[in-house]
Each structure stands twice: as structure tokens, then as C-alpha cells.
Amino acid sequence: MNKEEWKAMSSKERVLYLLSYYFWVPLVMIGVIILIVFMVRGSKNNKEEINSGTTVNIGISEEGRKYLTEDYVLSKGQKLETAEASLATEFLTDPSRPDNTDDGSERMALVSHLQAGLYSYMIMDQYSYEEMQSTGIYGDLEKLMDSQMLEKYKADLVDTSYEDNGKSITYKGGLKLSNTSFYKAYHMNDMEMYFVIIEMNGEHEAGQDMLEYILSK
């Protein structure tokens, strides 16, 4: 706009012009700045996930959570800046628990996460262990544990059973953790808890590695 056009405008027209023109400039600039910030943060948080698990109906101390996440990453010789091990702790599915306000949505969310292959292992109470065994996703620990650990913890293995095309299948799908150093150091109540390797499409290596890591403590 030239000077003559500007002078010919009324005060109201000038205000409207300034608002219509200069209003969008700072918005665009702010948008660009926000985009740059998110891109920078995204590049910093672009970590490789080397393991992922979840707890169900149990409590683990903050030190225990750190042991399963940051300490695990460091034990693999990797840096926290480039790798991570995640642990979900929000699932509470036992209706008998007084602190449970779940209406069934948490169980549905857990099942959908399992079906999506988000976790390689679960640490759970007896209720959730028995409830979820019908999915048939627990790995056979007698086959997945190395010989030394199997010999040491064989008495702590527990059965899992489910139906497959009318056929009942039973095997050792869980490990009681109460006799492990991990349980004694990091568990926050007297409730029994079970470790399960999630095996889907033949994949079990990450869960297997986490179990060996826990038992080596």
C-alpha cells in the first residue's frame, strides 16, 4: 500500500487493515517457532526402544522401576540418550481391590496393547495371571530359560492353561518372583507376583533377556 492509499483511508479502515495484515504475521511466526521446538525435541527423544514391559495390579518401588528401565539400558552397554527400556505401570484390573475404580476399560486397553505387541513381558499378580492366561500369549519358561536358571527356579514355575480349538493346553507360563533378590529389593507389598514372557509370532527374545537380567540380580 502506498502513502496516498493510506491517507485516503478512514481511521476505522486503517485499524481493520492493520488487524487483517499484522494479526497473521505474529501467528505465523509463533507457529514456525513451535514447529522448530517440536522438531528439536523430537530429534532429542528419538531413542531406540530396546525393551518394553508392563506391571498389572502390583506395586514396584521407584528404585525397581529404575532397575527395569535406565539400569537395564546401561547394563546393555547403551547410552540413555540414545536407547530406552519402557515400563507401563497404570493397569489395575482386579475388581476385588478397594483402590480399583476400573470399569473394564483398563483391561480392554491392556488386551489391545498386548495384541499390538507393545510389551515383551509382564509382571503381574495372581488374579491378572490367571485372568490373562486364556489369551495363550505366555511363553513356555521351561523352554525359554537357560539350564542353570531353570534348575535354580524350577520349583517357582507355575502352570498356565488355555483352550485351543477345543484342546486344553498346559505348560509353565509364569515364574513366581518371591524367591528372587529383585522381589525382596523392589516389591512394595507382600503380594505374590509373577513374571511372564509375552510370546507372539515366535518373538520372545526381549522378554527372555529381561527375565535373565532380573534373575541375575
Side-chain angles (χ1 to χ4, degrees), residues 23-38:
F23 177 75
W24 294 107
V25 174
L27 282 184
V28 172
M29 292 181 65
I30 292 172
V32 171
I33 292 172
I34 292 174
L35 179 61
I36 292 173
V37 170
F38 273 100

Side-chain angles (χ1 to χ4, degrees), residues 115-149:
Q115 292 174 338
L118 297 185
Y119 309 125
S120 61
Y121 69 93
M122 289 191 289
I123 301 176
M124 55 212 310
D125 69 339
Q126 183 175 355
Y127 174 87
S128 56
Y129 178 82
E130 294 174 352
E131 182 189 35
M132 299 298 296
Q133 65 181 333
S134 61
T135 59
I137 63 172
Y138 299 171
D140 188 340
L141 296 185
E142 284 188 307
K143 296 179 180 178
L144 298 177
M145 294 174 68
D146 69 42
S147 57
Q148 290 184 338
M149 290 185 176

